[in-house]
Amino acid sequence: MNEGLRRMIERDIVGRGIRDPRVIAAMKKVDRALFVPPEWRDSAYGDHPLSIGAGQTISQPYMVAFMTETLGLSGKERVLEIGTGSGYQTAILAELALEVYTVERIESLATAAEDRLAAMGYSNIRFHIGDGSLGWEEHAPYDRIIVTAAAPAAPSSLIEQIAEGGRMVIPTGPQDGQVLEIIDRRENVILRKKSMGCIFVPLIGEEGFPDGARSR
Ligand code: SAM
């Protein structure tokens, strides 16, 4: 592990309260610098989002770790991720789950992420280009769902695709600030909890914000 990554883990991951040893190990193993454009490499270990092109961002490392820890992965789960972006969160999930299904609406980002993750040797990820606000019905239900873009409210299509005993983590609320919602399905009852405040780029689609919604 290089010095920048070591400091990121100490300061922004362990230092801010992430405790799951498997999540910490994955954050150490997957080097964030490999997912940011060359012009941002010097800032790759800062605890903030960075531009990845097409008006989109790679999320801050602490938020990636917090959302991943909240999923409570043991290694046996099938996980749906909405918002592939750079593929950084996808790689963390692929380290910790059995299979990852990831959906991105912007083709150039999806293709770049797929090439990058294949070159890194991941073989448990399936990619789809399309409107993830509707989920990926073909492979549903999923033990865990993670949405890395902000929705006005949790899409009903995604709630339907949570498996029994499963969980979804999703930022919901207006475009200028959201809360992380944790949605569990237990004996077919849907249980909702609110967690921390956050700001994500918009989920654009049929059950998200309309196209033309502002990205940061
Ligand atoms: N998890 C990503 C990473 O680690 O780089 C960061 C994701 S970025 C904050 C949000 C992503 O969601 C963007 O790439 C954006 O294009 C994508 N997105 C927005 N609306 C979407 C939709 N309806 N379906 C799929 N992806 C969507």
Side-chain angles (χ1 to χ4, degrees):
M1 196 174 22
N2 68 50
E3 183 54 24
L5 183 54
R6 194 189 60 71
R7 258 188 287 121
M8 180 191 102
I9 299 291
E10 260 182 37
R11 183 191 55 210
D12 304 321
I13 306 304
V14 177
R16 291 190 63 187
I18 301 299
R19 290 290 171 263
D20 183 336
R22 295 183 72 240
V23 174
I24 296 168
M27 298 292 295
K28 283 182 183 168
K29 183 171 171 191
V30 179
D31 186 348
R32 190 174 187 244
L34 302 177
F35 295 81
V36 305
E39 62 270 29
W40 293 112
R41 292 266 151 86
D42 288 350
S43 320
Y45 305 119
D47 196 24
H48 43 69
L50 286 170
S51 167
I52 53 169
Q56 304 303 322
T57 55
I58 177 172
S59 306
Q60 71 175 117
Y62 172 69
M63 187 56 72
V64 171
F66 181 82
M67 290 175 82
T68 307
E69 186 172 67
T70 301
L71 291 176
L73 296 167
S74 71
K76 296 185 186 139
E77 299 82 3
R78 296 170 69 253
V79 181
L80 174 66
E81 177 195 32
I82 307 301
T84 316
S86 68
Y88 177 57
Q89 171 79 73
T90 322
I92 300 285
L93 296 170
E95 292 287 339
L96 297 172
L98 183 64
E99 286 174 342
V100 182
Y101 296 81
T102 185
V103 183
E104 170 59 55
R105 65 182 282 274
I106 299 177
E107 186 174 357
S108 58
L109 293 179
T111 309
E114 183 166 2
D115 291 349
R116 181 178 293 127
L117 291 164
M120 292 172 83
Y122 290 103
S123 58
N124 59 343
I125 306 171
R126 296 182 65 175
F127 298 83
H128 178 61
I129 298 167
D131 178 6
S133 75
L134 303 175
W136 189 355
E137 203 173 2
E138 187 185 349
H139 302 288
Y142 302 94
D143 303 306
R144 302 287 186 271
I145 300 179
I146 177 170
V147 183
T148 64
S156 57
S157 303
L158 290 176
I159 293 174
E160 276 162 26
Q161 292 176 28
I162 304 172
E164 174 52 39
R167 164 170 288 190
M168 169 159 72
V169 181
I170 178 170
T172 59
Q175 277 190 63
D176 58 358
Q178 307 93 35
V179 290
L180 276 185
E181 252 193 273
I182 302 165
I183 302 180
D184 291 325
R185 182 186 290 278
R186 298 276 177 275
E187 291 167 9
N188 269 325
V189 175
I190 298 298
L191 305 164
R192 294 166 177 260
K193 268 192 304 210
K194 291 201 166 134
S195 177
M196 72 167 78
C198 53
I199 302 188
F200 277 82
V201 296
L203 181 79
I204 292 172
E206 214 170 303
E207 290 199 52
F209 288 98
D211 203 355
R214 174 177 52 88
S215 281
R216 280 178 308 150

